């Protein structure tokens, strides 16, 4: 059997870490692009890492940045991937209002740099673009593949640009390039400033007596929240089809932020009204009010269906925060083999 090689941008992020696990389980050789930082940013994948000098190593990390097209081309030439999963980007909607230019560069143009690098190197690889339900913005629910985009943030606008560049390379050059239009998906590995993780962390810390209140913005917005570990399976399936196409990935059910807060706090045995305060700094200049995805095409063609509901997710996330407060887990064999200095050395 031929062993496939995948390249993941954003491997250090929430989705990148779950996808790397899935691909390694499926027998792939996995290469990931890591941006250089003054501190280690690989904590989500440390448990997967093996010293590259060991013969059974199948995970390799390379420095790179989406704003550096020359480096991206060089890495494609070096890695020669069969599949490219493009997950990297400035992914925070509120931050995109503060940094619209950088968001456009990384989240929008970053996709063009990758597509153009694939085209000019002539690699016959398949390409996955991490598109987002944020592109639908103000479009009324339920949203599906044919729903018109009406983005409401610089992040959403950048993702619409990247979506169309992906389609354009598919149509213009016959490239196997797909858009996964994923609705919100969360996990204990979610970045700490996204609302689900922020609330789950607060519920656990309040229970432990470490804080008393949490400040939030708009509680009325509704989101279709799924479990990230299940969503990366859909990404992989999109690249295993005979023909490239675009798919919505969602649970089909939405809850308000208020309801999710209530579920987290109830799971921790707390009444959220005693601990949640409003702070306008968490409001956005324009908001996305209601996202509910119709993923029937993905179910029909990819055979993909989510199983974890938002209330279950709230429980998973609060439990994980409480476990983390009880102290670090005993290191696994993988973790003891981890050597940071080797990790990103080239
Ligand atoms: P995430 O946790 O924020 O991860 C983003 C990744 O991109 C990180 O690995 C980050 O590196 C990397 N990155 C950011 N800027 C970069 C740059 N200039 N050069 C190279 N790498 C860069 O996001 P996620 O939740 O895993 O989401 C993955 C992708 O799916 C993103 O494109 C996001 O916009 C999109 N998406 C997410 C959702 C969702 O609900 N999670 C829904 C739809 C679409 P560091 O670790 O160094 O920060
Ligand atoms: N982050 C945050 N912090 N959001 C808050 C807060 C707060 O204190 N209080 C209320 N919210 C509301 C936001 O206004 C928004 O309506 C909702 O909670 C969800 O916010 P986020 O968790 O930041 O996620 P998002 O929906 O804006 O964006 C996420 O999902 C997109 C898919 O629709 C990100 O993962 C994007 O990268 C992704 O594309």
């Amino acid at each position: 059997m031929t062993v496939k090689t995948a390249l993941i941008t954003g491997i250090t992020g929430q989705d990148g870490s779950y996808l790397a696990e899935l691909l390694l389980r499926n027998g792939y050789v996995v290469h990931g692009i890591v941006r250089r930082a003054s501190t280690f940013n690989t904590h989500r994948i440390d448990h997967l890492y093996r010293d590259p000098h060991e013969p059974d190593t199948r995970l390799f990390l390379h420095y790179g940045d989406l704003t550096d097209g020359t480096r991206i081309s060089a890495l494609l030439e070096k890695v020669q991937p069969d599949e490219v999963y493009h997950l990297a980007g400035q992914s925070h909607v509120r931050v995109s209002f503060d940094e619209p230019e950088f968001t456009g560069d990384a989240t929008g143009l970053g996709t063009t740099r990758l597509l153009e690098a694939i085209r000019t190197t002539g690699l016959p690889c398949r390409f996955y673009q991490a598109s987002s339900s944020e592109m639908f913005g103000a479009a009324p629910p339920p949203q599906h593949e044919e729903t018109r985009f009406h983005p409401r943030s610089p992040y959403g606008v950048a993702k619409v640009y990247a979506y169309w560049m992906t389609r354009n390379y598919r149509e213009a050059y016959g490239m196997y390039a797909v858009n996964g239009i994923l609705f919100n998906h969360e996990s204990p590995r979610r970045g700490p400033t996204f609302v689900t993780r922020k609330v789950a962390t607060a519920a656990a810390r309040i229970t432990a007596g470490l804080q008393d209140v949490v400040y939030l913005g708009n509680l009325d917005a509704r989101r279709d929240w799924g479990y990230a570990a299940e969503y990366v399976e859909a990404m992989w399936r999109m690249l295993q089809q005979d023909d490239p196409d675009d798919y919505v990935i969602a649970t089909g059910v939405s809850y308000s932020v208020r309801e999710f807060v209530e579920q987290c706090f109830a799971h921790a045995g707390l009444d959220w009204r005693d601990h949640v305060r409003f702070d306008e700094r968490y409001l956005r200049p324009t908001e996305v009010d209601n996202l509910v995805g119709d993923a029937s095409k993905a179910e029909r063609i990819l055979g993909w269906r989510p199983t974890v509901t938002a209330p279950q997710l709230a429980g998973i996330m609060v439990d994980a925060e409480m476990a983390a407060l009880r102290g670090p887990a005993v290191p696994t064999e993988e973790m003891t083999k981890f050597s940071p200095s080797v990790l990103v050395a080239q």
Side-chain angles (χ1 to χ4, degrees):
M1 209 179 70
T2 327
V3 173
K4 281 192 188 172
T5 298
L7 176 67
I8 305 177
T9 74
I11 194 169
T12 57
Q14 170 187 259
D15 291 5
S17 66
Y18 284 116
L19 181 65
E21 281 173 6
L22 174 83
L23 296 179
L24 290 170
R25 260 198 322 273
N26 288 356
Y28 281 62
V29 171
V30 175
H31 292 259
I33 299 182
V34 178
R35 58 178 170 169
R36 197 269 161 185
S38 66
T39 50
F40 283 119
N41 54 3
T42 54
H43 62 278
R44 292 188 179 102
I45 51 170
D46 285 350
H47 63 291
L48 299 175
Y49 189 73
R50 295 273 192 291
D51 187 322
H53 303 99
E54 291 183 17
D56 63 344
T57 302
R58 285 191 289 121
L59 174 63
F60 301 92
L61 301 177
H62 311 268
Y63 281 127
D65 197 291
L66 289 175
T67 56
D68 181 354
T70 312
R71 175 63 173 153
I72 288 170
S73 288
L75 278 174
L76 279 168
E77 288 274 18
K78 180 175 170 179
V79 170
Q80 299 272 314
D82 300 295
E83 296 171 7
V84 175
Y85 295 87
H86 176 39
L87 310 183
Q90 193 300 92
S91 70
H92 203 285
V93 173
R94 176 67 191 83
V95 171
S96 78
F97 287 97
D98 299 331
E99 299 186 11
E101 188 180 330
F102 172 71
T103 302
D105 193 359
T107 305
L109 272 176
T111 298
T112 304
R113 291 188 185 101
L114 260 166
L115 287 165
E116 188 59 5
I118 292 170
R119 186 182 77 80
T120 52
T121 50
L123 283 175
C125 62
R126 297 183 168 200
F127 178 82
Y128 173 88
Q129 162 63 18
S131 284
S132 166
S133 52
E134 185 71 16
M135 301 189 303
F136 295 123
Q143 295 95 0
H144 51 78
E145 291 81 1
E146 305 308 322
T147 303
R148 254 179 96 162
F149 300 137
H150 183 159
R152 298 267 287 169
S153 63
Y155 167 83
V157 173
K159 283 289 187 188
V160 170
Y161 166 76
Y163 167 95
W164 280 110
M165 287 306 284
T166 301
R167 281 195 61 165
N168 184 248
Y169 273 63
R170 182 163 86 213
E171 292 165 10
Y173 307 115
M175 207 183 265
Y176 192 114
V178 309
N179 284 288
I181 308 173
L182 273 54
F183 282 60
N184 297 52
H185 46 281
E186 321 291 313
S187 75
R189 300 184 198 173
R190 188 55 144 150
T193 61
F194 295 94
V195 77
T196 54
R197 177 83 192 280
K198 181 174 170 181
V199 169
T201 306
R205 285 176 56 84
I206 291 167
T207 312
L210 296 171
Q211 73 185 63
D212 188 41
V213 295
V214 59
Y215 290 92
L216 297 174
N218 178 14
L219 301 184
D220 295 323
R222 300 184 71 86
R223 290 291 182 274
D224 179 334
W225 280 294
Y227 183 33
E230 295 190 320
Y231 281 40
V232 298
E233 168 83 27
M235 298 176 185
W236 176 74
R237 289 190 185 202
M238 283 179 218
L239 291 198
Q240 313 311 312
Q241 304 305 306
D242 289 339
D243 300 307
D245 206 346
D246 306 322
Y247 297 90
V248 158
I249 298 298
T251 70
V253 182
S254 81
Y255 292 88
S256 67
V257 173
R258 183 180 292 100
E259 286 166 332
F260 193 87
V261 170
E262 195 174 357
Q263 288 154 10
C264 285
F265 276 70
H267 191 79
L270 300 167
D271 184 338
W272 71 276
R273 290 181 205 82
D274 297 336
H275 303 282
V276 173
R277 303 283 181 271
F278 172 72
D279 187 334
E280 66 179 11
R281 89 175 67 179
Y282 300 115
L283 297 178
R284 288 133 194 226
T286 39
E287 176 63 285
V288 170
D289 295 325
N290 196 2
L291 292 175
V292 188
D294 171 359
S296 49
K297 179 178 171 184
E299 179 167 1
R300 199 173 64 251
I301 298 174
L302 305 178
W304 179 89
R305 193 152 36 115
T307 64
V308 178
T309 65
Q312 288 170 328
L313 192 56
I316 291 170
M317 293 179 72
V318 172
D319 286 345
E321 296 299 328
M322 287 180 165
L325 286 178
R326 284 195 292 272
V330 178
T332 62
E333 195 191 343
E334 286 93 332
M335 288 167 91
T336 52
K337 281 185 181 174
F338 166 61
S339 158
S341 58
V342 179
L343 182 59
V344 284
Q346 295 291 308

